[in-house]
Amino acid sequence: MIKFNEPLYTEQGVTYIVDAIKVKKRTNGDGEYTNKCNKWIETNFCSQKVLLTTSCTHALEMAALLIEIKEGDEIIMPSYTFVSTANAFVLRGAVIVFVDIRTDTMNMDEKLIEEAITDKTKAIVPVHYAGVSCEMDKIMDIARKYQLYVIEDAAQGVMSKYKDRFLGTIGDIGCFSFHETKNYTMGEGGAVLIKNPDFVERAEIIREKGTNRNLFFRGMVDKYSWVDIGSSYLPSDLNAAYLYAQLEEATEINNSRLSAWNTHYALLKDLENRGNIKLPVIPEKCTHNAHMFYIKTENLEVRTKLIKHLKDNGISAVFHYIPLHSSVAGRKYGRFHGVDKHTTKESERILRLPMYHGITEVSLRRVAETIYGFY
Ligand SMILES: *Cc1c(COP(=O)(O)O)cnc(C)c1O
């Protein structure tokens, strides 16, 4: 059986976990490994302020709290995304305004954002699907023109770039995921990256249950107390220890994923030339991180048959998001602006192939041969 995903494993990660438990004897939040991870991301991605969180979902919730979303505010985002992108803002009372996607990258179509803006719009939330960047120059220009916040859902975009900048560091706030299914993992976890300096101090407070505990530890106040709303968004240092070992190897891990991605692409290129499938498109300005490898079939019917054919041959391949605007909660908490020209249609064509760190050349060849066999 060729699995769709295998979580990244490193021996060094286990060594660091044991170190946190047995030697440092400190496993709660904001210990040595959490700080190391924060600093690593700040230094390597040129981010002013990074805080590990318990998930990307929670990083997005922190973003909604930081930009002070209130009842009736509108947030613009693609419908083709994970539920957390929308939920984080709906929890604060926002209405989600979905816009259509581009067919090449499956990212929100930046040309449709401006007409979706109303006097209630508070933020734009670009989602970098498959670790391939949205058109950030255009999105930042629109945000500046209408004084909107930009919250990047960079859950899949760790190590990816737009031009020479890392994803997650371009908007006011960026959100990473370190879930088991992502390129770097701490089991469940994430990070919030703060660019807008107005949010730095409050981010620490919101993440620490609304207290100024961090200022207390730094000796800046003589006791800590409840100063704002907040929750517990800080992960255990055990999880951070596991992640830190992967960050130390981030370039090697990224290169190895890219090499598997390029092999998939080269092996399947002929099928695209023959007009059977579509391969992913990486725009010139984007450096991706091989988070995902997908192909597009002609339509839903062909995709369903191909999934079965792969399964019968011991290969697990899966589709992805059901567009949020067509879901029960999406209809209740959001609306689709304009016409759904591409979102539903393209979402029904996508088929994600096995893609993980350490996938063998033999497996990649078997996947390609099986797909050729189908056609
Ligand atoms: C994985 C993912 C999330 C959620 O990440 P968690 O860390 O599991 O909360 C949010 N948005 C996108 C686009 C994702 O791919």
Side-chain angles (χ1 to χ4, degrees):
M1 185 73 190
I2 301 178
K3 282 189 272 182
F4 170 69
N5 179 54
E6 262 186 41
L8 179 55
Y9 172 81
T10 69
E11 287 293 333
Q12 192 61 26
V14 177
T15 307
Y16 286 163
I17 289 178
V18 173
D19 179 61
I21 303 169
K22 278 175 81 174
V23 184
K24 306 277 163 20
K25 297 188 196 301
R26 192 183 189 289
T27 57
N28 63 349
D30 280 335
E32 181 179 318
Y33 286 103
T34 305
N35 292 329
K36 279 182 162 170
C37 290
N38 294 342
K39 287 281 163 295
W40 190 96
I41 300 170
E42 285 171 6
T43 309
N44 288 277
F45 295 171
C46 296
S47 174
Q48 259 95 311
K49 182 76 184 172
V50 174
L51 295 166
L52 282 195
T53 58
T54 28
S55 64
C56 180
T57 302
H58 283 166
L60 288 159
E61 286 181 22
M62 281 183 64
L65 287 164
L66 283 168
I67 65 172
E68 298 182 84
I69 293 301
K70 51 184 190 338
E71 199 78 28
D73 286 346
E74 292 181 359
I75 310 290
I76 298 174
M77 67 177 64
S79 167
Y80 188 69
T81 183
F82 189 58
V83 292
S84 297
T85 321
N87 251 332
F89 299 93
V90 171
L91 278 169
R92 310 303 310 157
V95 174
I96 309 298
V97 178
F98 298 112
V99 295
D100 210 2
I101 51 169
R102 298 159 46 137
T103 56
D104 59 350
T105 56
M106 303 296 283
N107 285 333
M108 75 196 299
D109 187 341
E110 66 283 354
K111 292 189 293 301
L112 301 175
I113 296 171
E114 207 158 351
E115 61 184 54
I117 294 171
T118 71
D119 53 9
K120 291 189 183 142
T121 308
K122 195 83 186 261
I124 306 169
V125 186
V127 180
H128 307 297
Y129 188 68
V132 180
S133 179
C134 295
E135 186 42 61
M136 290 310 289
D137 278 350
K138 184 78 195 294
I139 292 170
M140 295 310 291
D141 282 349
I142 296 168
R144 263 187 292 269
K145 185 168 161 195
Y146 294 92
Q147 300 196 323
L148 306 173
Y149 292 116
V150 173
I151 313 296
E152 293 179 74
D153 182 339
Q156 303 176 12
V158 180
M159 291 289 276
S160 293
K161 284 179 180 174
Y162 174 77
K163 295 185 173 172
D164 57 352
R165 295 157 80 189
F166 283 95
L167 301 191
T169 68
I170 303 166
D172 295 276
I173 301 171
C175 303
F176 281 170
S177 175
F178 298 118
H179 184 262
E180 179 184 283
T181 52
K182 302 300 202 286
N183 290 23
Y184 307 91
T185 175
M186 52 198 279
E188 300 274 357
V192 62
L193 289 73
I194 311 281
K195 169 137 182 264
N196 188 327
D198 298 349
F199 297 145
V200 170
E201 195 177 316
R202 241 188 116 221
E204 290 190 333
I205 290 168
I206 286 171
R207 181 168 162 275
E208 262 287 13
K209 300 106 184 154
T211 72
N212 55 359
R213 195 160 178 236
N214 272 11
L215 292 179
F216 171 72
F217 281 134
R218 272 186 243 132
M220 289 161 81
V221 288
D222 57 10
K223 56 180 184 298
Y224 80 86
S225 64
W226 188 22
V227 293
D228 201 338
I229 55 170
S231 190
S232 184
Y233 292 129
L234 71 170
S236 160
D237 217 47
L238 290 183
N239 299 60
Y242 194 64
L243 176 67
Y244 186 62
Q246 296 165 29
L247 295 179
E248 287 185 310
E249 302 284 320
T251 304
E252 292 81 354
I253 293 165
N254 196 49
N255 287 342
S256 136
R257 288 189 78 102
L258 280 166
S259 146
W261 195 97
N262 291 333
T263 303
H264 259 318
Y265 192 95
L267 290 170
L268 293 167
K269 186 68 191 160
D270 241 13
L271 266 185
E272 181 173 59
N273 294 343
R274 293 187 216 164
N276 290 123
I277 60 166
K278 272 289 290 162
L279 291 176
V281 175
I282 313 293
E284 214 181 301
K285 296 169 194 165
C286 306
T287 311
H288 75 116
N289 60 355
H291 172 61
M292 188 191 302
F293 192 92
Y294 65 79
I295 60 172
K296 283 186 186 169
T297 60
E298 197 183 327
N299 54 38
L300 180 59
E301 198 191 330
V302 178
R303 184 180 74 181
T304 308
K305 285 185 187 148
L306 179 52
I307 291 176
K308 182 170 184 307
H309 177 77
L310 286 162
K311 193 165 169 237
D312 291 346
N313 285 279
I315 296 163
S316 168
V318 296
F319 55 85
H320 214 181
Y321 308 129
I322 309 294
L324 296 183
H325 74 282
S326 55
S327 67
V328 173
R331 282 200 297 268
K332 186 166 170 194
Y333 299 113
R335 62 164 190 270
F336 197 93
H337 183 86
V339 191
D340 171 12
K341 235 166 108 183
H342 303 303
T343 301
T344 300
K345 186 158 170 257
E346 296 302 306
S347 74
E348 290 177 345
R349 296 178 63 198
I350 271 206
L351 180 60
R352 299 187 292 156
L353 303 181
M355 174 70 223
Y356 49 87
H357 178 257
I359 189 168
T360 63
E361 172 105 17
V362 173
S363 295
L364 294 167
R365 284 191 183 280
R366 237 189 74 206
V367 172
E369 278 157 21
T370 310
I371 298 173
Y372 275 88
F374 175 80
Y375 283 102

